[in-house]
Amino acid sequence: MNIVIFGPPGAGKGTQSKFIVSKFNLYQLSTGDLLRNEINNKTKLGLEISSIINSGELVSDKIVNNLIENFVSNKTYKNKIIFDGYPRTLSQAKNLDDLLNRYDQKIDIVLKLSVSLETVKKRILERQNQESRADDNKEIAIKRYKTYEKSSEPVLDYYKQSNILKVVNGEAGITEISAEISGLIDAIKGWL
Ligand code: ADP
């Protein structure tokens, strides 16, 4: 099965993706991690995108679409992908459907983690002390949340039409959320 995990910055997408990867033997495709790797390795792409990421804006659809195609086309990952941080725009959502279709795959479930802006601010400040991400400060976190509301929320309506969207309360504790997600995936697996 292929899963999309969706939600604002600080919703816990990365944490829950890692849980799903280990429990259900899937592969995590985090566009944020892939982009940060490019920046850390100082590649041509990395140099091009670092200021965009650090300002809390989205990099272009073209760049991320290319990044994910490498993954989707790889047989090792076929029907075993959890998309973390992608799609983030309506155009990316449509691209993902086309791409998966071309490789004889589809999305089986979209998990939306809901959290308030207050929680996002709190979590990002906590994360700032553990990881050193240049975009993890209060001001940029608010910007990323606003970018999410403007560009990414329309993606939800797109998935609502296809009935694969499941909303999870991202304000709950990590293990509680994992348990809920587990139940949702098990239920879907029964149908596949
Ligand atoms: P978060 O969900 O906490 O914002 P991510 O690691 O998913 O963190 O993303 C960090 C940044 O990487 C985003 O703010 C954006 O600039 C860029 N990015 C990640 N995924 C995408 C995407 N699908 N489209 C455009 N930009 C992206």
Side-chain angles (χ1 to χ4, degrees):
M1 69 155 53
N2 292 312
I3 300 174
V4 167
I5 191 152
F6 191 88
K13 300 185 295 288
T15 305
Q16 296 302 333
S17 295
K18 288 188 175 65
F19 161 76
I20 299 168
V21 161
S22 62
K23 172 139 194 207
F24 295 95
N25 275 321
L26 303 180
Y27 294 93
Q28 179 187 9
L29 196 181
S30 158
T31 42
D33 284 350
L34 291 177
L35 295 168
R36 276 186 292 277
N37 270 343
E38 298 286 333
I39 296 175
N40 293 338
N41 295 331
K42 299 194 167 58
T43 63
K44 189 166 164 278
L45 176 62
L47 294 172
E48 198 183 313
I49 61 178
S50 73
S51 62
I52 303 172
I53 291 197
N54 295 341
S55 67
E57 309 268 359
L58 297 181
V59 308
S60 76
D61 290 336
K62 196 170 159 219
I63 289 174
V64 282
N65 289 348
N66 279 338
L67 281 178
I68 69 142
E69 175 145 16
N70 294 333
F71 228 86
V72 172
S73 60
N74 188 325
K75 284 207 179 75
T76 309
Y77 307 129
K78 187 169 182 183
N79 283 321
K80 287 183 184 159
I81 307 177
I82 167 149
F83 295 92
D84 164 12
Y86 186 97
R88 254 180 162 95
T89 63
L90 206 49
S91 145
Q92 291 178 19
K94 289 178 181 163
N95 176 73
L96 182 58
D97 276 349
D98 290 346
L99 186 65
L100 287 172
N101 195 22
R102 241 187 290 145
Y103 289 95
D104 203 22
Q105 300 177 60
K106 64 177 172 49
I107 299 163
D108 299 291
I109 184 169
V110 177
L111 297 166
K112 194 235 163 172
L113 293 173
S114 292
V115 285
S116 68
L117 177 57
E118 277 321 297
T119 303
V120 166
K121 285 192 223 165
K122 214 174 84 211
R123 289 189 185 163
I124 284 178
L125 289 182
E126 282 164 15
R127 191 159 78 181
Q128 215 182 347
N129 302 325
Q130 294 149 16
E131 302 166 30
S132 56
R133 270 177 56 170
D135 61 347
D136 269 355
N137 61 64
K138 201 169 169 188
E139 195 188 313
I140 301 298
I142 295 171
K143 179 75 210 300
R144 277 156 58 213
Y145 193 88
K146 301 248 180 280
T147 304
Y148 166 81
E149 283 184 319
K150 182 166 152 269
S151 306
S152 305
E153 277 187 342
V155 175
L156 290 175
D157 294 325
Y158 178 78
Y159 287 126
K160 264 182 212 154
Q161 294 168 8
S162 58
N163 244 341
I164 51 175
L165 180 66
K166 303 286 170 205
V167 180
V168 175
N169 176 15
E171 303 277 344
I174 292 176
T175 47
E176 241 177 303
I177 299 174
S178 298
E180 187 176 351
I181 288 178
S182 243
L184 289 168
I185 296 176
D186 281 335
I188 293 281
K189 278 182 84 173
W191 287 97
L192 290 181

